[in-house]
Amino acid sequence: MSRFPLLRLPTLPLLNCIQYLKVFEIIDFSLLSKRTRALVSLVNWNQPDIHAIFYENSQICLKFPNDAGLEWILDFESEFDGELDHTTRAIDGNQFPSYIDSDLHGPKVFHHLIFPNDEHFETMRKMAEHVSAIFRTPIASFEINQQSDQLTMSIVKWFSTLQSSVVDLDIDTTDEITASTLLFIMDNVTDYFSWELKMNTPDFEYTKAIDIPSVILSHSQWITLKSILNSSSRVIVLGESNLTFCDINSFLKHWLKGSNPQLEYCSIRRSMKGKAIEEDIEEAFQIITKDLEVREHEEDGRRPMQVRISLHRKSSYSLPNDLCYDIVRDDGTIGTFHQTYFHRSDVPDFKFHYFYFHVWNNKI
């Protein structure tokens, strides 16, 4: 059977043919040579959302806006199935076994191109660079799970050479993270940063303004009041915070004067050991509201009861509406806050103090 001489076509007809290839066919074609890679990058693609997940079994996921029911996934598996029929694919001059698989989940179809994973994710990094280049779109988000601090820093540094920033970053490492890694991350995220780990430098403090729109930190002892007051964030969630009740009072006073102009939601959780909850909560309220004009919030259906976590994520926070209080700026913007205590199940003598603050306007 004769083969169609695709590469002998003039450039424009060739580009028309390329745009009708399926995603894995596009990737395979672009891996043939420098010329085919350059040709693929000339096509006017509907640019995909690209998500990279660094884990024991890692993935690069592509979702195209015109194919909502399809997801194309490059898998990098630590336990690669050597019994299956393989196709050898060349990546940056190196040959790798691989195979294609598909599965159906409800209305969605997932197509998988599967490679063996390697210890430092070298194959995955090369493919991430390649996919980003041929579709001419940055990687929108990436997750780093269960990796050492050293490897986490290596991945983040590599990523910063690939593109100037990332929209969405989740990190959950096996080690406590170093200050240098954290500082590097804070300077290279543009929209959403979620972090589940502790610092390995107990006395480290972050005083710079937080310029990431959505920040969610399970351990935030290193975040200072100064950093928060100068923040341009829309959502700030601080777990295991070292902020005091007096700091929260200062935060509310500065907000009334115009600080944190972009803020929609802030929550602060602190671990405490002290008196009975009934005594603590009244004392906390008196300190938090000192010298503030506070009124009890009356729910009338006008306050939005959900806050979207990130502009690039569908998930949102549902807001409590019991025992809330309002403070009001001169321009009519309302800050509704709520505080409560609950016991820590893992340490009976400790309890959490939880404070949340929601900014809204009943005229909008």
Side-chain angles (χ1 to χ4, degrees):
M1 185 174 64
S2 62
R3 296 183 178 183
F4 182 72
L6 184 64
L7 291 174
R8 295 181 184 177
L9 291 174
T11 300
L12 286 179
L14 178 54
L15 294 178
N16 286 333
C17 291
I18 293 172
Q19 69 180 340
Y20 289 105
L21 296 176
K22 295 179 180 179
V23 173
F24 292 158
E25 293 173 339
I26 294 166
I27 292 173
D28 280 342
F29 182 78
S30 67
L31 289 171
L32 292 175
S33 67
K34 291 182 179 179
R35 181 186 174 221
T36 58
R37 171 173 167 154
L39 285 167
V40 168
S41 66
L42 291 175
V43 177
N44 187 25
W45 302 109
N46 285 312
Q47 293 181 328
D49 284 329
I50 304 176
H51 307 271
I53 304 171
F54 292 84
Y55 191 49
E56 183 180 6
N57 294 318
S58 301
Q59 294 183 332
I60 302 171
C61 306
L62 291 84
K63 299 179 183 178
F64 288 81
N66 57 330
D67 284 317
L70 288 177
E71 189 165 339
W72 303 85
I73 303 171
L74 283 72
D75 287 286
F76 302 85
E77 297 187 350
S78 58
E79 297 183 2
F80 186 76
D81 191 344
E83 300 298 322
L84 296 177
D85 291 334
H86 299 138
T87 299
T88 300
R89 288 176 165 84
I91 302 172
D92 198 24
N94 297 312
Q95 302 291 323
F96 295 93
S98 58
Y99 62 92
I100 291 176
D101 195 9
S102 297
D103 54 76
L104 177 66
H105 292 285
K108 296 197 71 172
V109 178
F110 298 84
H111 296 297
H112 300 265
L113 174 55
I114 303 166
F115 296 93
N117 206 3
D118 51 81
E119 186 178 358
H120 296 285
F121 306 102
E122 294 299 333
T123 310
M124 179 176 172
R125 296 191 205 193
K126 285 179 171 47
M127 284 304 298
E129 294 170 5
H130 186 82
V131 168
S132 177
I134 63 174
F135 290 110
R136 303 195 313 279
T137 185
I139 297 174
S141 71
F142 73 103
E143 301 175 26
I144 304 172
N145 293 303
Q146 303 301 307
Q147 307 304 321
S148 67
D149 175 77
Q150 184 178 5
L151 187 51
T152 297
M153 185 59 166
S154 170
I155 294 169
V156 173
K157 279 191 171 181
W158 157 79
F159 195 84
S160 71
T161 64
L162 181 63
Q163 56 193 64
S164 60
S165 62
V166 62
V167 168
D168 193 329
L169 175 61
D170 274 289
I171 294 183
D172 182 4
T173 66
T174 53
D175 299 340
E176 294 182 349
I177 204 164
T178 60
S180 57
T181 301
L182 178 63
L183 289 170
F184 195 89
I185 291 168
M186 294 292 284
D187 290 337
N188 288 277
V189 180
T190 55
D191 186 73
Y192 176 89
F193 176 35
S194 175
W195 184 46
E196 297 292 331
L197 273 294
K198 296 179 181 179
M199 285 285 298
N200 71 350
T201 311
D203 57 351
F204 172 77
E205 290 187 341
Y206 190 80
T207 57
K208 294 171 59 179
I210 304 173
D211 294 325
I212 304 169
S214 298
V215 180
I216 301 175
L217 307 173
S218 62
H219 295 271
S220 62
Q221 294 92 337
W222 47 278
I223 292 288
T224 62
L225 177 62
K226 179 180 178 181
S227 178
I228 294 172
L229 295 182
N230 293 318
S231 163
S232 60
S233 297
R234 189 181 61 84
V235 173
I236 304 175
V237 177
L238 305 177
E240 296 298 316
S241 175
N242 279 343
L243 296 177
T244 66
F245 295 140
C246 291
D247 288 334
I248 295 174
N249 175 256
S250 296
F251 162 72
L252 294 177
K253 289 177 179 176
H254 279 82
W255 178 83
L256 283 172
K257 294 177 181 179
S259 74
N260 304 97
Q262 307 300 321
L263 187 68
E264 292 183 25
Y265 178 82
C266 176
S267 74
I268 301 169
R269 191 190 71 221
R270 305 166 64 244
S271 287
M272 300 183 65
K273 183 178 182 180
K275 297 172 289 185
I277 285 178
E278 292 77 11
E279 299 174 29
D280 276 344
I281 199 163
E282 180 58 32
E283 181 181 340
F285 182 80
Q286 294 302 322
I287 298 172
I288 288 170
T289 60
K290 184 180 178 182
D291 300 325
L292 290 174
E293 189 174 321
V294 176
R295 69 190 186 197
E296 188 170 343
H297 176 74
E298 295 182 7
E299 199 59 63
D300 58 8
R302 291 185 294 177
R303 180 167 75 106
M305 295 308 295
Q306 288 192 327
V307 173
R308 190 168 180 179
I309 295 175
S310 166
L311 298 179
H312 294 84
R313 290 176 167 234
K314 294 182 180 179
S315 54
S316 60
Y317 283 118
S318 296
L319 304 174
N321 59 5
D322 55 332
L323 201 59
C324 295
Y325 298 89
D326 293 339
I327 57 175
V328 185
R329 274 178 172 166
D330 290 339
D331 63 0
T333 303
I334 301 169
T336 298
F337 67 90
H338 169 80
Q339 65 145 4
T340 188
Y341 284 93
F342 55 92
H343 284 292
R344 287 185 55 161
S345 59
D346 57 334
V347 186
D349 292 339
F350 277 77
K351 53 185 175 290
F352 283 125
H353 174 258
Y354 173 72
F355 170 87
Y356 98 85
F357 183 67
H358 175 217
V359 177
W360 61 289
N361 195 316
N362 60 12
K363 296 179 182 179
I364 297 178

